[in-house]
Amino acid sequence: MIRICKNCASRIVFDVEKNGLYCERCGSLFDVSDYGDADYIENDVVSDFKDMMDCNIYMCNSCGAEISINDTEASTFCIYCGNPAIVFSRVAKLKKPDAILPFKITKEDAMSIVKNRIQDGVFIPKEIKNLKIEQLRGIYIPYYITKVEADVASIISSEVHSNKSTNTIYSLRAVAASLPWVTTDASLKLNDSLSQRLEPFYLEEAVDFDEDYLVGFYSDMSDVQKSRAVEQAKDRVRHAIEEDMMHDVKGSNKKMQKNRICIDVFDEPITAMLPAWFLTFRYKDKPYTLLINGQTGKLVGGVPWNKALFITLVTVLSILFSTAAVLLFYNVLPIIFSGSSRGNSNGRLLSLIGAGILACFSAAVKNISSSIKSIKRASDSNLTSFVSKRQKGE
């Protein structure tokens, strides 16, 4: 389906920065409300139902993902796994969502966010730092929004240390909450951990769905049943409440001894399209994907890192630290330990050097471990495996 300019009859698209339908030929800008269903130039199928819309569906031969394209450029690669083998599948008649959250972050802004994040990365290969804006694609992700009522009470045991004794205490925690906007993504293709890390979305800025917001963007297809979305929303709320309860209790070795859980959903979830920018690129013939929240600019995902450079840098830092410690030993420690034996001084020096090296390695390993987890969430093999398992119903 195509929208045409009322002034020059050229194609118009939704412009994020201008927040309206824009004609690149004559510069005209129209509000979404200026166009109705009669202003469409239909493709091949005309919908007779107001709650349905026609979409061109493309399928990836690698991971099986399907995406719909609403009058945008021809799809050249899969935004989920990076495979270039995307082929036209069919024209589908899909149910319209209830609401949509329009893009606020432009394509240029999204690329700047990515470049600012990776330019200062010491271990990021130079090839990754030269990503091009043409590799960035805007996509509306389908979500369910569920209103959840929760009433939870728990008795939590924990161990508290006092002097040389350890006591077990029991703490009562209770939560009663009404959560109107619990989001769960409605796409089996998108890893739930990735979609959750994109949050928060500020849903008070959502508007009634209008197909004009899709013009110029990709859109994912909803393939999750509402009944499953309800259970996922209830699970998210329960886990969040239990985590907060445990965090609020002092001590160690915490355990939930008794639970009274009442989590209900009284209204049917509504469907909404939420915005994200996808940046898929290849490094050493392996695809990677970064996601940017199209409303807030939050970036999630991971990029490849130079392992050899990391090991070299940590080794050099350790040597430098050890050298500094030796210099300290021969110039300062003799004064500090003038009343102590040389053996004690040596022991303290070795402890100091060991502690410093251990701290250096621990900090580095912690940062790298976090990066590796992000890479695994967004790498080709992980997404492809996830898609195939979910399609088989595993």
Side-chain angles (χ1 to χ4, degrees):
M1 295 174 288
I2 301 174
R3 293 292 200 195
I4 62 172
C5 176
K6 295 183 178 181
N7 295 328
C8 69
S10 297
R11 190 188 72 168
I12 56 177
V13 297
F14 182 79
D15 189 289
V16 177
E17 193 169 12
K18 296 179 174 62
N19 193 31
L21 296 169
Y22 179 68
C23 177
E24 295 182 349
R25 180 176 178 182
C26 70
S28 299
L29 181 66
F30 304 95
D31 189 82
V32 171
S33 60
D34 292 339
Y35 281 77
D37 292 338
D39 297 310
Y40 272 124
I41 293 180
E42 300 287 349
N43 287 336
D44 299 320
V45 180
V46 178
S47 175
D48 296 325
F49 305 96
K50 292 183 178 180
D51 61 342
M52 305 294 287
M53 61 180 181
D54 298 328
C55 293
N56 297 322
I57 307 301
Y58 286 75
M59 185 180 71
C60 174
N61 288 336
S62 177
C63 69
E66 288 187 329
I67 58 174
S68 61
I69 300 178
N70 299 73
D71 184 38
T72 186
E73 61 186 302
S75 181
T76 55
F77 63 88
C78 177
I79 56 178
Y80 290 106
C81 75
N83 191 286
I86 300 294
V87 296
F88 177 76
S89 175
R90 66 192 185 280
V91 175
K93 192 175 295 184
L94 304 177
K95 184 176 178 60
K96 291 182 180 180
D98 299 304
I100 189 169
L101 186 61
F103 274 87
K104 292 186 67 176
I105 301 297
T106 66
K107 191 173 187 177
E108 290 75 16
D109 291 338
M111 182 55 71
S112 295
I113 291 170
V114 173
K115 289 186 175 180
N116 290 338
R117 177 69 66 86
I118 66 177
Q119 287 299 324
D120 297 331
V122 178
F123 305 114
I124 298 177
K126 292 182 180 179
E127 299 88 334
I128 304 301
K129 297 184 178 182
N130 296 321
L131 295 173
K132 298 179 180 179
I133 195 170
E134 290 78 14
Q135 298 169 272
L136 196 64
R137 299 294 187 274
I139 178 171
Y140 279 102
I141 303 172
Y143 275 80
Y144 284 112
I145 302 176
T146 309
K147 182 178 181 179
V148 180
E149 304 285 342
D151 185 4
V152 180
S154 299
I155 296 178
I156 303 171
S157 66
S158 61
E159 295 180 353
V160 178
H161 303 280
S162 176
N163 296 327
K164 295 183 179 181
S165 62
T166 300
N167 300 316
T168 300
I169 63 172
Y170 296 87
S171 305
L172 173 63
R173 294 292 183 270
V175 172
S178 178
L179 307 170
W181 291 333
V182 179
T183 56
T184 53
D185 78 74
S187 171
L188 293 177
K189 298 178 289 296
L190 184 61
N191 193 314
D192 292 343
S193 63
L194 277 176
S195 61
Q196 290 178 15
R197 292 179 67 222
L198 270 177
E199 298 175 1
F201 288 98
Y202 298 101
L203 299 177
E204 61 271 15
E205 297 182 2
V207 297
D208 291 338
F209 179 80
D210 192 304
E211 291 178 55
D212 289 335
Y213 288 109
L214 299 181
V215 178
F217 295 98
Y218 295 78
S219 55
D220 194 5
M221 298 174 59
S222 173
D223 51 9
V224 174
Q225 297 296 322
K226 285 189 176 182
S227 58
R228 180 170 183 173
V230 168
E231 295 305 314
Q232 289 178 329
K234 292 166 67 174
D235 285 342
R236 285 200 69 183
V237 171
R238 179 175 60 83
H239 286 306
I241 290 177
E242 290 179 350
E243 184 177 337
D244 285 345
M245 285 180 169
M246 295 290 279
H247 181 73
D248 190 58
V249 173
K250 297 180 179 180
S252 59
N253 196 23
K254 304 174 188 178
K255 296 179 181 178
M256 284 197 173
Q257 300 296 336
K258 291 184 178 181
N259 257 348
R260 178 179 62 81
I261 301 175
C262 182
I263 299 179
D264 292 311
V265 172
F266 299 103
D267 299 322
E268 191 174 75
I270 66 171
T271 55
M273 303 295 282
L274 306 185
W277 289 101
F278 278 60
L279 178 62
T280 303
F281 60 93
R282 285 183 172 269
Y283 178 70
K284 293 185 177 179
D285 202 32
K286 183 177 181 180
Y288 296 86
T289 301
L290 297 176
L291 282 72
I292 302 97
N293 185 310
Q295 182 192 34
T296 66
K298 181 180 180 182
L299 174 66
V300 301
V303 296
W305 55 287
N306 193 323
K307 298 179 182 179
L309 179 60
F310 165 70
I311 295 173
T312 301
L313 184 59
V314 171
T315 302
V316 170
L317 289 176
S318 301
I319 293 174
L320 291 175
F321 185 86
S322 301
T323 302
V326 171
L327 294 175
L328 178 66
F329 172 73
Y330 283 107
N331 292 278
V332 179
L333 291 185
I335 300 175
I336 298 177
F337 299 119
S338 57
S340 304
S341 66
R342 174 65 67 176
N344 290 336
S345 298
N346 289 337
R348 294 182 183 182
L349 173 62
L350 292 175
S351 299
L352 181 63
I353 294 174
I357 295 175
L358 180 61
C360 183
F361 271 103
S362 298
V365 169
K366 182 178 180 180
N367 290 333
I368 293 300
S369 176
S370 177
S371 299
I372 291 175
K373 290 180 180 179
S374 296
I375 293 171
K376 287 182 178 180
R377 291 190 187 101
S379 65
D380 174 48
S381 59
N382 186 53
L383 283 176
T384 303
S385 174
F386 179 83
V387 171
S388 63
K389 288 181 179 179
R390 296 290 286 268
Q391 287 176 337
K392 295 176 182 177
E394 297 181 11

